[in-house]
Amino acid sequence: MLTEVVAYCDFRTNRSAFKDYPGAWNGLQVANDGRITRIGAAVDAGLVPFTQAVETGVDFLIVHHGLFGNGVQPLTGPVYERHASLIRGNCAVYSSHLPLDAHPELGNNVLLAHQFGLRPGETPFVINEGQSVGCIAPNKYKRLQLRTRLKEQYPRVISIEFGSTLPHLVAFCSGSGNSAITQLAATGADTLVTGELREEWFNYAQEHRLNIFGCGHYATETLGVKALAADVAKKFHLPWSFIDTENPL
């Protein structure tokens, strides 16, 4: 069954056609014995989410940030324990990074927009290797309403408000918004919903009259893995669960 589930994930995420950062290695990263009885979703590959997945009976875990983002490492210490916990628990790991940010149905960014009841348009945003990762949506809400709605959904929201009080467009870029800020002007948007930013973007937002809402890197990237896990579970008539490590960053 592992082969069939991996093929379906590859198809749904359009993995083979999507170029990602070095080290992402989207797709199956660790195999199991081929049996799958429960799908899991987690934002990060790591010893704690792996242990929690195995303890809850997950044997196919979908993650957004995979095992190899830090390059080649010796299988010693915590790195060894990560892999050993998967092998002992017969738990496969499937990673989907940028394909799961950009996906028009299951992606983090389109799902962020849907949380507001907004429908992204066709304007490309945050281009990586010629492919649009973020999205832009026509907006009907006042800035105050956007902030209020975000605070209802996310435990911590950093609000930087120097743009329009009724933005006609809202941009979405989950995770790290550092690559998104300078691309806003070309889209006509002055408002960005993202995860995290570096300190210097506050001055940039002041100078360029932007609204920026930071909701946490981890928090804004729980959406895609949940959506893909639910989709796979429905396809193969399996249960699924989200492994929440409560990362505050």
Side-chain angles (χ1 to χ4, degrees):
M1 191 176 189
L2 177 65
T3 301
E4 290 81 3
V5 171
V6 169
Y8 183 74
C9 287
D10 287 347
F11 165 72
R12 285 296 274 140
T13 61
N14 198 25
R15 181 187 67 83
S16 62
F18 211 104
K19 297 178 182 178
D20 210 323
Y21 302 122
W25 288 100
N26 295 313
L28 184 66
Q29 295 192 336
V30 177
N32 69 357
D33 67 3
R35 294 173 294 176
I36 298 177
T37 60
R38 187 178 187 88
I39 307 296
V43 175
D44 301 305
L47 177 58
V48 171
F50 291 167
T51 301
Q52 292 177 353
V54 169
E55 288 175 349
T56 55
V58 169
D59 40 26
F60 186 85
L61 181 65
I62 297 168
V63 300
H64 186 55
H65 303 127
L67 280 159
F68 309 120
N70 293 322
V72 177
Q73 295 178 291
L75 293 180
T76 59
V79 180
Y80 166 79
E81 290 298 334
R82 279 183 223 144
H83 291 78
S85 67
L86 294 169
I87 295 169
R88 287 193 295 259
N90 193 41
C91 184
V93 171
Y94 183 97
S95 179
S96 185
H97 185 229
L98 290 186
L100 207 50
D101 286 320
H103 197 279
E105 180 186 350
L106 305 173
N108 288 313
N109 291 307
V110 70
L111 294 175
L112 279 170
H114 288 173
Q115 287 184 328
F116 291 99
L118 301 180
R119 184 182 297 275
E122 299 298 323
T123 303
F125 183 56
V126 187
I127 307 302
N128 178 71
E129 298 286 350
Q131 295 162 309
S132 178
V133 176
C135 64
I136 305 281
N139 176 57
K140 57 187 176 182
Y141 299 106
K142 294 180 180 179
R143 183 176 63 194
L144 175 60
Q145 292 174 296
L146 293 172
R147 185 202 325 137
T148 300
R149 209 142 177 189
L150 284 170
K151 288 186 175 181
E152 291 171 351
Q153 304 254 11
Y154 294 95
R156 292 197 309 165
V157 176
I158 296 174
S159 177
I160 301 171
E161 301 180 10
F162 298 110
S164 55
T165 57
L166 180 57
H168 72 282
L169 294 172
V170 177
F172 296 89
C173 179
S174 65
S176 174
N178 296 310
S179 60
I181 297 294
T182 57
Q183 298 185 39
L184 274 176
T187 70
D190 73 346
T191 300
L192 172 68
V193 176
T194 188
E196 62 169 330
L197 292 166
R198 294 195 302 264
E199 184 272 346
E200 62 263 31
W201 293 117
F202 180 82
N203 285 337
Y204 189 93
Q206 281 183 316
E207 294 168 352
H208 290 81
R209 312 304 298 172
L210 302 177
N211 300 314
I212 304 175
F213 299 102
C215 305
H217 193 136
Y218 173 89
T220 57
E221 296 195 323
T222 62
L223 305 174
V225 288
K226 288 179 180 178
L228 181 57
D231 186 76
V232 173
K234 182 178 180 181
K235 170 71 175 179
F236 292 95
H237 307 288
L238 294 169
W240 76 278
S241 55
F242 177 61
I243 310 301
D244 190 356
T245 56
E246 300 180 353
N247 186 337
L249 302 177

